[in-house]
Amino acid sequence: MGFNAAWFAGARTSGYCAKAFILAAAANAVSNGMSFPTTDVTLSCPVRDAIVRGVERRGKAKCAHVTWSVRGAITLGDDVNAVIDVVDAASDDDVDFILIHGTEAFGRGDGADAIETSIDDIKAFVERSARRRVPVVVANPDFVTVSGDALVTMPGTLGKWYTDAFDCADVTSSASSYVRLMGKPDAIIYDALLRDVEQTAGTSVDKTRVLAVGDSLEHDIVGASRAGIDALFIRDGIHAADVARHGAEGVVDAFLARNVEARVKFHTAKFQW
């Protein structure tokens, strides 16, 4: 993008938040010095409680891992592997929770080749899990991402499929409590990042000096608005086709009409120096 690396003090990713959440839920977060991404990881919710029960019963929680194949399988790391067992989702339905890093394959644990699986089969698995109320950690809530001229399905789409199937099967419970999003638009990623900025600066953050930048109205813009941060919308990203047809103002205005909590402070075609 043309930015000088020296300008950056650090970074926080949704994958980091997912890892810290799992370790915190397993009461093992301090093993490698990781801080909790947000204080609510210590509060009861179906995802956290499922991990805790698994660790208490077996020493490890059983996890079905949806990951990448072509884009590169996700390595969980020794600290996470110390508290979870990745099981074969195709043959073992007795899992405590599902961890979604990708949309191309079922993981078999670090060091083993992932089982490449069609998106239709992964969708069917996610929907079955929703009907069984198996809780989910979505390590990247994006619905799609740009890859060349194509849009690639991302883990957030699987989270949406889970929520839709859950709501159809159970009207007495809230699907949102069974799905933990580890990135935008959830507050967990903003809490982690703003805390890191405060620790680096040695002072509290003035949110009027913080700008969120992103190309997803659903994730980047809504998340920033919920966090009380101004947002810069990148037009030539996942919404580029809509912007070409309807213009940036038309796309933004239509979205804001449907999402009254969202605010767009600025917009530009590309994010580059």
Side-chain angles (χ1 to χ4, degrees):
M1 296 179 182
F3 295 96
N4 188 335
W7 298 344
F8 296 85
R12 278 291 172 255
T13 66
S14 55
Y16 167 88
C17 289
K19 182 174 185 174
F21 179 87
I22 292 168
L23 292 176
N28 197 30
V30 295
S31 66
N32 63 356
M34 292 182 75
S35 61
F36 294 170
T38 182
T39 54
D40 72 356
V41 297
T42 61
L43 302 177
S44 178
C45 71
V47 186
R48 176 193 176 278
D49 294 347
I51 296 172
V52 170
R53 284 195 303 270
V55 172
E56 289 176 344
R57 288 201 306 260
R58 312 182 204 91
K60 291 185 177 185
K62 294 175 73 173
C63 164
H65 187 204
V66 187
T67 185
W68 299 109
S69 57
V70 176
R71 293 172 67 88
I74 300 295
T75 300
L76 299 176
D78 292 341
D79 44 4
V80 173
N81 286 316
V83 297
I84 69 170
D85 269 330
V86 176
V87 300
D88 186 349
S91 61
D92 191 341
D93 286 335
D94 182 23
V95 298
D96 296 305
F97 75 107
I98 300 166
L99 175 59
I100 303 178
H101 271 114
T103 64
E104 296 174 338
F106 286 118
R108 296 194 297 140
D110 290 357
D113 291 337
I115 303 171
E116 196 165 337
T117 307
S118 73
I119 191 66
D120 289 338
D121 286 345
I122 290 175
K123 179 180 182 182
F125 167 77
V126 167
E127 291 176 339
R128 287 197 306 272
S129 299
R131 290 190 288 269
R132 294 175 51 242
R133 295 169 67 169
V134 179
V136 174
V137 172
V138 181
N140 184 339
D142 286 346
F143 292 141
V144 295
T145 192
V146 177
S147 180
D149 294 329
L151 293 179
V152 176
T153 301
M154 295 294 282
T157 295
L158 274 60
K160 179 66 165 57
W161 289 339
Y162 180 101
T163 299
D164 291 344
F166 188 103
D167 288 340
C168 289
D170 187 351
V171 297
T172 64
S173 300
S174 170
S176 61
S177 64
Y178 283 78
V179 180
R180 283 307 306 258
L181 302 179
M182 291 295 141
K184 303 167 293 187
D186 194 272
I188 193 169
I189 190 73
Y190 298 95
D191 290 348
L193 185 59
L194 292 174
R195 187 176 61 253
D196 285 350
V197 172
E198 289 182 342
Q199 290 174 349
T200 300
T203 186
S204 60
V205 172
D206 178 1
K207 287 187 176 181
T208 65
R209 300 192 64 201
V210 178
L211 181 67
V213 180
D215 67 340
S216 171
L217 291 167
E218 292 279 358
H219 297 89
D220 301 307
I221 303 306
V222 169
S225 299
R226 290 175 179 172
I229 296 170
D230 288 337
L232 167 64
F233 170 53
I234 306 302
R235 303 190 299 268
D236 289 352
I238 65 171
H239 298 288
D242 288 336
V243 169
R245 285 193 297 268
H246 306 293
E249 299 297 340
V251 170
V252 170
D253 289 348
F255 179 80
L256 296 182
R258 300 191 304 270
N259 297 269
V260 294
E261 64 182 334
R263 302 184 313 277
V264 176
K265 183 75 170 182
F266 312 103
H267 62 79
T268 188
K270 298 183 184 299
F271 186 54
Q272 60 188 22
W273 192 254

